[in-house]
Amino acid sequence: ILNVEQSPQSLHVQEGDSTNFTCSFPSSNFYALHWYRWETAKSPEALFVMTLNGDEKKKGRISATLNTKEGYSYLYIKGSQPEDSATYLCAFDNAGGTSYGKLTFGQGTILTVHP
Amino acid sequence: SAVISQKPSRDICQRGTSLTIQCQVDSQVTMMFWYRQQPGQSLTLIATANQGSEATYESGFVIDKFPISRPNLTFSTLTVSNMSPEDSSIYLCSVDEGASGGPLRELFFGEGSRLTVL
């Protein structure tokens, strides 16, 4: 059983604060690490798919880093806005692309940004 | 990117009944995936639905409880049979497509079906 852990479980920040949260995953048989944002009553939306150790990806105010050797990824949000409020999911892919869709998800970090 | 429609979006069901969730994709896809998120738990893959063959179920999920149909390349249904309160979950349909800018694939999801079983 693959263990993907996210911390913290929930986070409350004020508008304008920067924040970050963690995803840890097995360091063996790594293929890719995914981050998704899931807003209430909407579809989960892919933020990043990362494969290379040391990789850093950025989309607007959101960025993510990847350490495959130690098995963790950080997601950073700079200058949080209320519209960033969502559950952030990470998902581990150890399938080498041969079993598309078979991702192991963490429990998510619920972010609430207060105006 | 694929656009996925699911229905119902939510329902309240009685114990012992069955409910079928429909998933429609706006393009033809080879595989469709059904996930479940129980309260406080991770998104968990139930099964992979392939057109023209039986669905492939993950450990802990069986066809009798979660029968799946895949009549064509744009549509699938998941039935939750003989429901109990433990089946109260969000059920998500998804497909995978190439992530923008490279060979990697990412999942696209429907908006989910939130089932509450009394």
Side-chain angles (χ1 to χ4, degrees), chain B:
Chain B
S1 58
V3 176
I4 303 171
S5 304
Q6 263 186 256
K7 57 181 181 182
S9 58
R10 58 177 63 233
D11 208 338
I12 299 174
C13 309
Q14 296 299 318
R15 182 194 299 258
T17 62
S18 298
L19 183 82
T20 296
I21 302 166
Q22 298 180 8
C23 178
Q24 180 76 52
V25 187
D26 68 343
S27 58
Q28 294 185 336
V29 294
T30 305
M31 291 187 284
M32 296 174 73
F33 308 96
W34 287 100
Y35 279 84
R36 172 177 83 174
Q37 187 187 44
Q38 293 175 297
Q41 303 297 312
S42 308
L43 265 180
T44 301
L45 182 65
I46 298 171
T48 302
N50 303 301
Q51 195 268 335
S53 63
E54 275 199 6
T56 304
Y57 289 84
E58 297 301 305
S59 176
F61 298 96
V62 294
I63 188 171
D64 289 347
K65 176 67 176 175
F66 297 102
I68 286 171
S69 78
R70 183 79 202 274
N72 58 54
L73 291 174
T74 63
F75 187 79
S76 178
T77 68
L78 171 77
T79 299
V80 187
S81 303
N82 188 24
M83 286 185 283
S84 66
E86 292 71 38
D87 295 318
S88 297
S89 299
I90 301 174
Y91 292 84
L92 287 161
C93 168
S94 73
V95 303
D96 72 315
E97 287 189 354
S100 55
L104 297 174
R105 305 183 78 82
E106 62 190 41
L107 291 181
F108 293 87
F109 290 89
E111 291 183 343
S113 300
R114 184 183 292 270
L115 302 188
T116 303
V117 185
L118 303 177

Side-chain angles (χ1 to χ4, degrees), chain A residues 1-83:
Chain A
I1 296 178
L2 298 173
N3 206 26
V4 179
E5 299 282 344
Q6 289 187 249
S7 64
Q9 277 192 319
S10 64
L11 196 53
H12 291 256
V13 301
Q14 291 297 127
E15 183 175 356
D17 288 350
S18 293
T19 187
N20 66 85
F21 21 93
T22 307
C23 172
S24 63
F25 51 86
S27 54
S28 58
N29 298 320
F30 176 86
Y31 185 75
L33 192 282
H34 297 229
W35 280 100
Y36 290 84
R37 175 171 57 200
W38 192 1
E39 296 178 67
T40 302
K42 294 188 177 179
S43 313
E45 172 194 25
L47 290 172
F48 305 113
V49 181
M50 308 170 77
T51 59
L52 299 174
N53 184 44
D55 205 2
E56 180 170 346
K57 295 210 170 182
K58 189 174 180 182
K59 185 182 286 189
R61 294 179 291 99
I62 303 176
S63 61
T65 61
L66 180 67
N67 183 324
T68 61
K69 293 184 178 178
E70 296 181 41
Y72 64 83
S73 176
Y74 293 134
L75 189 80
Y76 301 90
I77 302 178
K78 186 177 177 182
S80 303
Q81 299 296 309
E83 57 265 30

